[in-house]
Amino acid sequence: VWKVAAETAPALAERILARAAERLGREPATLAIAPGGIVKRHSNSGELLLSFAALAEGLDPEKLPFAATSFEFPKSDHFEGNARMIFAFGVALARVAVSRITGQVRVLDLSQHTAAGPILDLAAYLGQIEGGGLQGVGFTLTEHAAMQDGRYVTANLDTYMMPSIADAPKSVATYALEDLDPGDPFGPRGAGELGIGAVTPAIANAVADATGVWPHAAPFDAERLLDALGAAA
């Protein structure tokens, strides 16, 4: 059970711009939020007028943007045969770029958060989560096993496009919440599936946020996405 408390994105953006306008002596309507900080609205220079770090330094700690979360692991005493009902949690956040010329989607940033108890082997944990993340990118954007008359048309890797290092996100971040409930009898959970389960929905959400078009099947069809963009325009 996850409980999250945070400002809505529009309200947070409005407050950030208002604070930045005070610092810069400008009207909020002349400013915009960009990666890394505040820029002049409608400017193509990309020059930051004020970084987020500089803006935060001038704020009262109680007025900083916030997010708080708490969770409880569901419990089960079902141990019949080889069955084990043990629960873990994972969240993925993605930032994407969508080409208005080709319809291709590029994952720029992928952030993955897990709550599966204490990490026993850091290298194995990162291998599962980061490897699963890239596997999820491939499943979402490039890997397609086409079938015809009950047989696979995709026979080998010249047509089944697995992601390469060139398809990896520009930045990948992994965060682990290692706390367990007091008296938890199960200990660390398996984290393998957490690396891939939320990646496709995160990328789909980002594409919809950027374009207003929801992909309905994976891998995302660039031509169909481009047609939808054209129809929306």
Side-chain angles (χ1 to χ4, degrees):
V1 179
W2 284 91
K3 301 175 182 177
V4 178
E7 292 182 275
T8 63
L12 177 58
E14 182 178 348
R15 191 156 69 91
I16 289 174
L17 291 176
R19 294 290 185 180
E22 291 178 7
R23 290 283 303 277
L24 296 170
R26 295 170 177 256
E27 290 295 323
T30 66
L31 303 176
I33 295 175
I38 308 300
V39 298
K40 182 179 179 181
R41 188 178 295 275
H42 304 311
S43 172
N44 293 323
S45 69
E47 179 183 355
L48 290 181
L49 300 176
L50 185 66
S51 69
F52 290 134
L55 178 60
E57 289 173 358
L59 293 178
D60 185 315
E62 295 184 357
K63 296 181 179 180
L64 289 172
F66 73 94
T69 183
S70 63
F71 73 97
E72 297 175 359
F73 282 114
K75 303 296 191 298
S76 171
D77 57 1
H78 183 85
F79 290 102
E80 295 182 9
N82 194 38
R84 299 291 186 271
M85 293 180 66
I86 298 177
F87 299 86
F89 300 90
V91 175
L93 305 172
R95 187 169 71 92
V96 306
V98 182
S99 171
R100 294 186 179 277
I101 298 176
T102 66
Q104 293 288 337
V105 177
R106 178 82 165 90
V107 180
L108 304 178
D109 304 306
L110 182 63
S111 175
Q112 293 177 278
H113 303 250
T114 65
I119 295 175
L120 302 182
D121 185 325
L122 180 59
Y125 169 82
L126 290 175
Q128 290 289 332
I129 303 304
E130 294 178 351
L134 186 56
Q135 184 181 5
V137 170
F139 175 80
T140 307
L141 301 180
T142 62
E143 298 180 40
H144 183 42
M147 298 187 71
Q148 184 175 1
D149 299 327
R151 294 179 179 273
Y152 282 106
V153 177
T154 304
N156 55 47
L157 297 182
D158 64 353
T159 52
Y160 187 82
M161 305 304 294
M162 294 183 65
S164 70
I165 192 64
D167 302 299
K170 290 184 177 180
S171 71
V172 175
T174 303
Y175 304 89
L177 182 61
E178 300 185 74
D179 297 340
L180 289 175
D181 296 337
D184 185 290
F186 301 110
R189 276 73 167 160
E193 290 80 0
L194 299 182
I196 188 173
V199 173
T200 298
I203 297 173
N205 285 339
V207 169
D209 185 62
T211 66
V213 178
W214 282 95
H216 295 295
F220 299 170
D221 188 307
E223 184 176 355
R224 183 174 298 175
L225 184 57
L226 190 63
D227 289 342
L229 285 171

